[in-house]
Amino acid sequence: MLHPVKHALLCLSIGAVWLLPAGGQECQQTAQSQIETVLDKSTNRILLREVVDDFGEEGNRILVQIASDQGQPAKRRGAAIGLLGEHRSDGGKKLLLQLLNEHSTMCVAINALQWYRTPDLVPLFMGLLDDRHSCGNIVRFSIGGGAQEKDKETEVFVSDEAVGALERSTGIRLERENDLFVIGHRATQPWKDWWNENRTVFAADPSRFVASQVGDEKRSVNYPCSVQ
């Protein structure tokens, strides 16, 4: 597969004045092919993110298109939905809010939305604290615990994901024990109490309750498929 940087240079080099429309279309098709390939074959989130980033706004558009298409292979679509939050595009957020209403995509949509850290999402996550739809299972592996220790599996609910999203969005942690295998599931009551205590203040100044984006790198925007 052609390296993204080299490909970007190639896309620009073929864009001679008399070939701009065809060159641009070819570049867009290649961008979609490369993004689909890496979504299918890699689980490395850094690589996934960089490949999409290398195509700038075109990459974001393709990512939203794949994530919204129910006809896409499940792995490819799931990977695309998961990446939407890390790119934080307006189109991605709009789609994620729609996917939040579908049980099949609800859990991955919550995980992606928490990257946005915007005030409007806090009440939305609060509304999911009683949702017991399953997001799958996780397993704790016992290492050096002796023969008596066994791997333990527990089911993860939408409410567990909502608590995690609230922690990232607000920068607040209310649980005494952050271990699904000790308390069974993420503690939702502390968040309900917090919401009751802060609802009025939140309505007056919601920005006070949203964590900053410190530590989230600001990526440059490239346009290898644009006419310019």
Side-chain angles (χ1 to χ4, degrees):
M1 183 174 71
L2 191 61
H3 189 278
V5 174
K6 293 180 180 178
H7 174 259
L9 294 175
L10 174 61
C11 290
L12 291 174
S13 66
I14 64 176
V17 175
W18 57 89
L19 291 177
L20 279 177
Q25 183 178 4
E26 179 182 350
C27 186
Q28 291 166 8
Q29 292 173 347
T30 305
Q32 175 133 5
S33 176
Q34 285 195 9
I35 290 174
E36 289 178 350
T37 298
V38 76
L39 289 175
D40 290 344
K41 295 185 177 181
S42 178
T43 57
N44 185 317
R45 296 197 68 80
I46 295 177
L47 173 62
L48 291 171
R49 189 176 63 199
E50 287 183 348
V51 169
V52 175
D53 280 347
D54 281 336
F55 292 104
E57 291 303 317
E58 181 66 16
N60 283 332
R61 186 193 66 77
I62 293 171
L63 198 62
V64 171
Q65 176 184 323
I66 294 173
S68 63
D69 184 0
Q70 296 185 9
Q72 291 283 340
K75 181 183 183 300
R76 180 189 298 170
R77 188 185 183 211
I81 294 172
L83 282 174
L84 288 178
E86 297 182 41
H87 289 82
R88 296 192 289 273
S89 67
D90 292 339
K93 183 178 180 181
K94 182 178 179 181
L95 175 61
L96 287 169
L97 290 173
Q98 295 173 3
L99 297 177
L100 200 60
N101 297 317
E102 302 177 22
H103 292 157
S104 61
T105 54
M106 179 182 291
C107 300
V108 67
I110 294 173
N111 280 315
L113 281 169
Q114 66 183 342
W115 285 84
Y116 282 85
R117 299 183 189 174
T118 54
D120 60 305
L121 295 177
V122 174
L124 187 152
F125 294 143
M126 291 298 306
L128 298 173
L129 292 180
D130 290 320
D131 195 313
R132 295 297 184 265
H133 283 99
S134 177
C135 288
N137 297 332
I138 59 174
V139 178
R140 178 181 66 182
F141 296 98
S142 302
I143 301 177
Q148 300 298 323
E149 289 290 332
K150 295 182 179 179
D151 298 340
K152 188 174 181 181
E153 183 174 314
T154 190
E155 187 175 19
V156 179
F157 293 154
V158 168
S159 58
D160 299 317
E161 300 290 3
V163 170
L166 283 166
E167 288 180 345
R168 174 175 279 274
S169 297
T170 63
I172 299 171
R173 179 176 169 181
L174 300 177
E175 285 183 301
R176 294 182 180 179
E177 180 58 65
N178 188 18
D179 188 341
L180 292 175
F181 299 98
V182 173
I183 64 174
H185 289 281
R186 304 297 299 271
T188 58
Q189 190 58 48
W191 282 100
K192 294 176 182 178
D193 296 339
W194 175 86
W195 186 237
N196 288 333
E197 294 171 4
N198 294 280
R199 189 193 301 264
T200 302
V201 181
F202 180 91
D205 187 9
S207 61
R208 283 182 51 189
F209 298 90
V210 178
S212 67
Q213 297 287 351
V214 174
D216 293 342
E217 68 276 17
K218 184 177 181 181
R219 297 181 287 277
S220 59
V221 178
N222 303 312
Y223 299 94
C225 294
S226 69
V227 173
Q228 295 160 342

